Each structure stands twice: as C-alpha cells, then as structure tokens.
C-alpha cells in the first residue's frame, strides 16, 4: 500500500523576541496573568521577515535534512492565513526562492488547522500517484494582523514557519487514521477582514460615515471570542482525536506523543484530561513562541525531531483547530 513518510523537518523564527514584560508597557496586562491564563512567556515577532522568507528558510532546512534537492520536489503546499500579497500565492514565491522548478505550488488557508489540512492534501496526491514527494509548510506573520491595543488577543500570537518533506513509500505505515472537519457556521467566532473591503467603485458610489470607517478599521485585525474558541477547542479536539484513533484502529494508550496546536496550555491540559492521557505525552513550545497558527505544529515537530524526541516507529497524533471553524487530527507512524 502506498503511504507517506516525513523525511525532513525545518523551522524559522524571527530574531526579535517580545516578552510578556514588554507587553506590560503596551497594554494593561501582566506577565503573571498571561502565564497563568495561557502558559505563554514570550513570542518572536517579525521586524522585516515575511511569510515567504520564513517559509523559505524552514523549507531549506527541511530539504537539507531530508537529503533532497529542491528540483526533486514535485508539490509545495504553504498553509498560511497571513500572506503579504493576494497574488502570487506564497507557495509559488517559496518555489522561486528555493529553486523547486519542477513543483506544483499552491496555498492552503484553514487557519490553525492549515498544516494538517495541507498534510492530508499532500497525502492524497502522494497516495494516488499525482506526486512522489512534497514540501509542506506552515508559515505566519500574525503580528501584522494583531491589534496591539487589544490585550485579549495581542498576548497570544507569534510569527514563524515550520516545514516538512514528505515522500511516498510503499512499506512505511505513514498516516494510519484521520478526522478533519470544517464548520462555516462558526466563522464569526474568530475572524479578520481583508485590508480592502470595498471596491473603488463602491467607495465612490456610497460615501461611508465615520462610524462605518471605524468599524472597517477594527475588522482588519484578528477579532476573537476567546471563551467560545476555548469551549470549541476543549470539546471538539478530544472528540476529533478519538475519531482519528478509531479510524486507525488504535486507542489513547497506543500513542507515544500528542503534538497539538499550541494555542493555550490550559487547552492542552484539558484535552489530555478528557482523553485520560498522560500529560507528559503532550510536548509544548508555546511558552517560547506563542500561538503560531498554521506554523505551530510543524515548528514543534521540528524542535522535537532535532532534540531526538521522535523515533522511527513512534505513533504520534497531530491535532489542530482554528478559524473557519476548522479542526483536524491525524494519527501517524514516525
Ligand atoms: N491581561 C489582563 N487581563 C485580561 C487580559 C490580559 N491580557 N485579557 C483579558 N483580560 C481580562 C478580561 O478583560 C476579563 O476582565 P473582566 O473579568 O473584568 O471582564 C478577565 O481578564 C477575564 O477574561 P476572559 O476572557 O474570561 O479570560 P480567559 O480566562 O477566558 O482567557 C483567553 C482569555 C486567554 C483568550 C482564553 O479565552 C483563550 O485562550 N481562548 C482560546 C483562544 C485561542 O486559542 N485562540 C486561538 C485560536 S487558533 C486560531 O485559529 C488563530
């Protein structure tokens, strides 16, 4: 049976670190409140790095580790919800930056579930023979979408990119089970408007009031009902993991590591508790990087891999949730 195997990982974080203490100077908050409610102590913030430069750096490292030349790659997927440009897509820009001249390249936007959705898209391409290998990247510069005067959201997010090289193989067990879902009716819970909401034609034909203008300005930043997202995540992530495990014919005790989207330490605690799983099996890096949206899972995977904490044959669960609403889990053999 054809399946896929991750053969290389890489990540990139901007050099500038913003600590909770620094945020205390910007909004009415405290290091203690942020640590207690989220587990986050600091995050990396772009001072010029872009979704494409971070993605390209992570991609170079993943290719190097996989021992693959860029020209050998035939599919590039970039998961992002914070591109700098509408056109061309980030994946095509990464293709040009790394020299993957033979690859098909396009973006996937499923917010914080983006990497998982992209991984499963690549799996479908590889299993059906449409591609032999793929570069899958999650990359975000969320700092440009964050309202730095809103203390309830600006404390959460960071910038960075993670990449994996996946290759088709006949023997490896690869992805064993999955569960992916979207619920567009929950879109209002977590949203961010495009910079230009009205066409020049609409602007000239219908003058806006000052009040409407102010509303539009707010819509350009991430707006989130934090408690609702929290409830969604703590209820649906364990269900989704159980569903993926059932698809794989496995149970919670069979899993060596749960690599979850790094949104909030309390969410991870709650998921572990609901699954009756050992909390030690849920590694985190959110203390140092915050919520990296689609980059969250691949950055953590790369850190674990380079620290020697992933071993061939380990059974791992990847799980993410985010705007859309979207949610996904997949069970794989490393
Ligand atoms: N510092 C100090 N006080 C704050 C801060 C802050 N940074 N932010 C909010 N508060 C205050 C509130 O104003 C409120 O004050 P009040 O009681 O006087 O009204 C109080 O703290 C409690 O606010 P809550 O919103 O109830 O705080 P909560 O414990 O729910 O924590 C948080 C908020 C951290 C946002 C939490 O709800 C959460 O993590 N939700 C999930 C968010 C998430 O994961 N988002 C990412 C999704 S992934 C994606 O797709 C991008």
């Amino acid at each position: 049976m054809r399946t896929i195997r991750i053969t290389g990982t890489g990540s990139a974080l901007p050099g500038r670190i913003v600590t909770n203490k620094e945020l205390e100077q910007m909004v009415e908050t405290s290091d203690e409140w942020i640590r207690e409610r989220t587990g986050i102590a600091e995050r990396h913030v772009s001072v010029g790095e872009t979704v494409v430069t971070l993605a390209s750096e992570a991609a170079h490292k993943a290719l190097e580790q996989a021992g693959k030349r860029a020209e050998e790659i035939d599919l590039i997927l970039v998961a992002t919800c914070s591109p700098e440009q509408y056109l061309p897509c980030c994946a095509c820009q990464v293709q040009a930056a790394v020299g993957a001249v033979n690859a098909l390249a396009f973006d996937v936007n499923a917010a914080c579930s983006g990497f998982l959705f992209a991984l499963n898209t690549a799996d479908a391409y590889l299993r059906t023979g449409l591609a032999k290998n793929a570069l899958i990247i999650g990359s975000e510069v969320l700092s440009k979408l964050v309202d730095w005067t809103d203390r309830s959201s600006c404390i959460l997010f960071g910038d960075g990119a993670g990449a994996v090289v996946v290759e088709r193989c006949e023997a490896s067990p690869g992805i064993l089970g999955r569960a992916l879902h979207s619920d567009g009716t929950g879109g209002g819970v977590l949203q961010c408007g495009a910079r230009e909401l009205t066409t020049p034609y609409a602007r000239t034909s219908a003058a806006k009031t000052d009040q409407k203008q102010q509303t539009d300005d707010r819509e350009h930043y991430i707006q989130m009902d934090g408690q609702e997202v929290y409830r969604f995540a703590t209820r649906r992530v364990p269900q989704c993991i159980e569903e993926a495990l059932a698809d794989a014919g496995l149970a919670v005790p069979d899993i060596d590591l749960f690599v979850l989207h790094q949104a909030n330490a309390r969410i991870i605690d709650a998921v572990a508790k609901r699954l009756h799983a050992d909390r030690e099996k849920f590694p985190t890096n959110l203390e140092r990087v915050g919520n990296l949206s689609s980059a969250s899972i691949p950055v953590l995977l790369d850190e674990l891999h380079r620290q020697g904490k992933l071993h061939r044959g380990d059974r791992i669960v990847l799980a993410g949730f985010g705007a859309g609403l979207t949610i996904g889990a997949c069970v794989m053999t490393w």
Side-chain angles (χ1 to χ4, degrees), residues 95-153:
Q95 177 197 26
V98 302
V101 289
N102 297 310
L104 172 70
F106 57 93
D107 289 357
V108 173
N109 180 352
C112 305
S113 311
F115 177 77
L116 272 175
F117 281 36
L119 179 67
N120 279 280
T121 304
D123 183 49
Y125 268 77
L126 267 59
R127 276 179 194 255
T128 52
L130 287 173
K132 285 199 287 297
N133 55 51
L135 188 52
I136 306 162
I137 306 165
S139 184
E140 305 285 3
V141 177
L142 293 166
S143 58
K144 62 180 186 279
L145 302 183
V146 164
D147 178 355
W148 290 96
T149 65
D150 174 12
R151 68 177 182 173
S152 64
S153 63

Side-chain angles (χ1 to χ4, degrees), residues 301-320:
L301 264 185
D302 181 51
E303 290 180 4
L304 294 168
H305 193 202
R306 286 174 193 270
Q307 289 162 5
K309 293 182 179 162
L310 291 169
H311 313 101
R312 282 285 162 223
D314 279 357
R315 284 177 180 147
I316 63 171
V317 163
L318 310 179

Side-chain angles (χ1 to χ4, degrees), residues 29 33 37 112 151 157 190 224 226-227 263-264 266 291 322-323:
T29 190
W33 192 97
R37 301 288 181 118
C112 305
R151 68 177 182 173
F157 301 102
L190 182 48
M224 178 184 68
Q227 292 192 359
N264 183 321
R266 287 194 296 140
N291 179 345

Side-chain angles (χ1 to χ4, degrees), residues 162-193:
V164 300
V165 172
V166 295
E167 296 182 49
R168 191 172 73 199
C169 51
E170 303 297 329
S172 162
I175 294 183
L176 305 168
R178 78 201 79 211
L180 302 164
H181 300 286
S182 303
D183 175 12
T185 63
V189 170
L190 182 48
Q191 53 184 333
C192 179

Side-chain angles (χ1 to χ4, degrees), residues 10-31:
S11 59
L13 298 169
R16 174 79 165 90
I17 293 172
V18 175
T19 62
N20 290 348
K21 282 276 169 213
E22 276 186 82
L23 289 181
E24 286 178 4
Q25 314 302 314
M26 298 168 67
V27 287
E28 201 184 324
T29 190
S30 68
D31 176 43

Side-chain angles (χ1 to χ4, degrees), residues 237-276:
V237 173
Q239 285 172 359
C240 199
I241 291 175
E242 295 277 17
E243 200 182 331
L245 283 169
D247 189 37
L250 295 172
V252 169
D254 298 321
I255 300 304
D256 296 296
L257 277 182
F258 294 83
V259 181
L260 263 52
H261 170 48
Q262 303 286 296
N264 183 321
R266 287 194 296 140
I267 293 177
I268 296 172
D269 293 343
V271 171
K273 200 168 164 196
R274 285 204 181 189
L275 290 172
H276 303 289

